[in-house]
Amino acid sequence: MDTSTMINILIALVVILFFYKLFAPVKGVRTINSIEFEQERKSIQDAILIDVREPHEFKSGHIPGAKNLPLSQLSSRMNELPKDKPVFVYCQSGMRSKRAAVIFKKNGIPSIVNLQGGIMAWHSSHRK
C-alpha cells in the first residue's frame, strides 16, 4: 500500500468518526420525538424545560414554559439547575441540545430528555 492510499484511508476514518460522534446517541440521555417530548414533559410536574439557543433565537419564539440557558453560557450557569429534577432540553435542530445533554450528564443531572429535531420538529407537530 502506498502512502497516498494510507492517507486517504486515514482521512476516511477521521470523517467517519466525526459523523459518528455527531449523530451517535448520548449514553444516559433519551432523545424522543416532539409528540412524546410534549406528553412526557406535561406528565412530569417538576420537569424543567431548557432552551439552549442564544437569547435572540429564544426571543423569536420558544416552547411555552422554557427557560433560556444558552449553550455558550451553560458551563458557567449550571448552578441554576437543580440536580434532582428531570431536564427536558431543546435547541433549533437537536444538535446543540445534544451537546448540552452531555454537559448536564457530566454535572450530575441524572434524568435528561432531548427533543429530536429541536424546536423545528416541535413547530411541525403543533401546526397539524
Side-chain angles (χ1 to χ4, degrees), residues 10-30:
L10 183 60
I11 290 171
L13 289 173
V14 168
V15 169
I16 290 168
L17 180 63
F18 171 77
F19 280 104
Y20 175 76
K21 287 214 168 255
L22 193 62
F23 295 108
V26 176
K27 186 178 181 178
V29 176
R30 292 182 41 244

Side-chain angles (χ1 to χ4, degrees), residues 48-59 62 65-82 87-91 96-97 99-101 103-104 107 109:
I48 299 169
L49 179 61
I50 302 294
D51 182 326
V52 296
R53 297 176 302 153
E54 292 301 314
H56 68 277
E57 294 174 288
F58 184 80
K59 287 177 187 171
H62 56 273
K67 175 179 180 166
N68 186 220
L69 198 57
L71 181 62
S72 62
Q73 301 172 13
L74 203 54
S75 294
S76 64
R77 295 179 61 190
M78 279 304 298
N79 62 334
E80 295 178 30
L81 291 177
V87 171
F88 286 72
V89 61
Y90 73 94
C91 63
R96 283 180 281 181
S97 57
R99 291 198 325 250
I103 295 169
F104 293 149
N107 281 277
I109 295 177

Side-chain angles (χ1 to χ4, degrees), residues 34-35 60 92 119-128:
S34 60
I35 294 168
S60 69
Q92 189 68 25
I119 197 166
M120 294 187 312
W122 187 84
H123 279 306
S124 293
S125 70
H126 284 78
R127 287 188 185 135
K128 296 176 182 176

